[in-house]
Amino acid sequence: MNGIILYGSHYGAAQQYAQALEERTGLPAVSWEEVRDFGPFDTIVYIGSLYAGRTTGLAKTARRLPTDHPFRLLVATVGLVDPDDEDNLLRIREALAKELSPGIFVRTTHVHLRGAIDYAKLSLKHRVMMKGFCAMLRRTPEEARSEDTQAILDSYGGAVNYIDFDTLAPIQEWLARE
């Protein structure tokens, strides 16, 4: 296998997962911006942070993927929502379907990993986005809020870290299958 791990990360969670996967597999982990030619690779793992329904760097990377090359692709999104919630996974997959061409989307394996947020490290743009998002979430009556919604509201202005490197196991298993 000639594989690579790409990551798109703003604040480090996706990069941490990529580097941990590199240590476990020996595949190189590099930023999505560093690779222009995907011809040499038959296996690509893309680990990208989720922001406002987009996976950092994925759409731009997908446009550079060769359409006539039979590579395997796994996309692992990194976000705050619980991956065990089917509604969350459905929304993430719908967002991925908008970022990947239909031909690539149908042959892509999808995994969701939990990330982290530290409001003290957010850019002004992302702080404003989160302020607006949380204001919208607060309009939901408390009894109607999901656990994820309440967790986001509870963490607002602080820091929370859900990173768990053991959740890389399904990706490692996928890589072991050729």
Side-chain angles (χ1 to χ4, degrees):
M1 167 180 46
N2 190 11
I4 190 166
I5 302 162
L6 301 175
Y7 62 85
S9 190
H10 280 288
Y11 300 104
Q15 183 177 0
Q16 288 178 50
Y17 276 119
Q19 290 170 338
L21 190 59
E22 177 182 47
E23 289 174 18
R24 294 171 181 217
T25 65
L27 295 176
V30 298
S31 171
W32 68 274
E33 298 165 305
E34 295 180 34
V35 178
R36 296 281 180 233
D37 179 15
F38 292 96
F41 305 109
D42 57 19
T43 302
I44 302 166
V45 174
Y46 191 96
I47 302 175
S49 53
L50 286 172
Y51 291 96
R54 294 184 177 216
T55 308
T56 304
L58 180 61
K60 289 180 181 178
T61 299
R63 285 194 293 269
R64 294 193 317 253
L65 292 172
T67 56
D68 60 345
H69 184 55
F71 58 87
R72 295 186 320 148
L73 177 64
L74 181 142
V75 174
T77 55
V78 180
L80 294 177
V81 298
D82 183 357
D84 294 329
D85 182 301
E86 287 300 318
D87 290 335
N88 290 339
L89 289 179
L90 180 62
R91 282 190 294 277
I92 292 168
R93 288 193 177 111
E94 287 171 351
L96 287 174
K98 293 175 185 174
E99 294 186 272
L100 300 170
S101 70
I104 291 177
F105 179 80
V106 297
R107 66 184 222 197
T108 301
T109 300
H110 310 116
V111 174
H112 182 69
L113 307 169
R114 292 198 80 182
I117 191 167
D118 183 347
Y119 284 83
K121 295 180 180 177
L122 293 183
S123 69
L124 177 61
K125 175 184 170 184
H126 289 151
R127 278 197 308 267
V128 169
M129 285 172 51
M130 288 306 294
K131 183 177 182 178
F133 182 58
C134 287
M136 182 190 74
L137 293 178
R138 281 191 200 93
R139 288 187 221 120
T140 305
E142 279 190 48
E143 62 276 1
R145 293 177 186 165
S146 70
E147 286 183 37
D148 281 333
T149 297
Q150 193 59 52
I152 289 169
L153 291 172
D154 291 344
S155 69
Y156 182 73
V160 65
N161 186 335
Y162 297 114
I163 294 173
D164 178 0
F165 297 123
D166 290 338
T167 59
L168 291 171
I171 300 172
Q172 291 175 256
E173 290 168 12
W174 179 84
L175 284 167
R177 286 184 252 131
E178 285 199 51

